Amino acid sequence: MKLGHEFVKGLWESNPVFRLVLGMCPTLAVTTSAENGIGMGLATTFVLVNSNLIVSLLRNVIPRRVRIPSFIVVIASFVTIVDLVMAGYFYQLHKALGIFIPLIVVNCIILGRAEAFASKNPVAASLADGLGMGVGFTLSLFVLGSIREIFGSGTLLGFSLFGASFSPVIALVLPPGAFITLGVLLGLMNRISRERQV
């Protein structure tokens, strides 16, 4: 049951984007489309799961004084793998995400989970936590990117939804559209959470 809870908490109660409000830089910058959201989410999930694994395995070996630099080296290693694989096999997505792939190294979700969870818990729980937070992050980016793409471009995953007569809300694919959409979704989640508690 504990492993299940560690996974599920990242989907709603401790969702990195909509609950903890972490990782806002890539969240707002790359979610102009659902595809970009999925790509960034999966890249971050890979780094999060693997860095949680290594940090948890080495939690009793890494001295406390150098834990943060050690975590960053571990995270940077996995980010390098993601960056090179995406550049080699998913070039268009890599080009669309740009600088935000290398910036995964300093994403506060990953470093935060390494410090707050993986460095203090066994491997299985750390993997469940990393996977849950990663899936929650990916779903958040997908939802945000989908809304912005549907109403800002009239497409979803590149497929036209409304035909030539559709008049897109261009503001949604611009930076202010990311803030507006995120604000609406945060408000919606807060309202749902309050109603569930009553």
Side-chain angles (χ1 to χ4, degrees), residues 3-4 32-33 46 63 97 108 113 116 120 151 158 164 166 176 183 188 191:
L3 289 180
T32 54
S33 71
F46 174 82
L97 297 178
C108 51
R113 295 324 292 168
K120 298 175 177 103
F151 296 108
F166 178 70
L188 182 63
R191 182 178 181 129

Side-chain angles (χ1 to χ4, degrees), residues 12-169:
W12 186 269
E13 79 181 66
S14 294
N15 183 283
V17 174
F18 297 129
R19 286 275 155 259
L20 304 177
V21 194
L22 295 173
M24 288 295 104
C25 187
T27 297
L28 297 171
V30 305
T31 56
T32 54
S33 71
E35 182 180 354
N36 289 356
I38 292 170
M40 178 55 85
L42 291 177
T44 304
T45 300
F46 174 82
V47 174
L48 186 54
V49 169
N50 286 294
S51 62
N52 268 15
L53 170 68
I54 299 300
V55 167
S56 181
L57 284 171
L58 300 176
R59 72 184 184 279
N60 296 323
V61 176
I62 298 172
R64 296 292 299 162
R65 290 187 336 205
V66 294
R67 70 186 188 287
I68 299 297
S70 300
F71 297 165
I72 290 175
V73 169
V74 169
I75 293 165
S77 300
F78 289 112
V79 169
T80 302
I81 293 168
V82 165
D83 193 31
L84 293 174
V85 168
M86 287 184 78
Y89 295 100
F90 306 100
Y91 181 72
Q92 290 303 319
L93 181 61
H94 184 266
K95 190 173 158 186
L97 297 178
I99 190 67
F100 294 100
I101 293 296
L103 284 176
I104 292 173
V105 172
V106 292
N107 189 318
C108 51
I109 298 168
I110 298 170
L111 187 56
R113 295 324 292 168
E115 169 64 15
F117 196 87
S119 67
K120 298 175 177 103
N121 288 284
V123 173
S126 296
L127 284 173
D129 175 75
L131 188 60
M133 290 291 174
V135 170
F137 184 68
T138 304
L139 289 174
S140 299
L141 295 185
F142 174 72
V143 168
L144 193 57
S146 295
I147 292 169
R148 292 180 68 196
E149 182 180 358
I150 289 168
F151 296 108
S153 304
T155 62
L156 181 61
L157 297 171
F159 297 103
S160 179
L161 297 177
F162 304 114
S165 63
F166 178 70
S167 183
V169 182

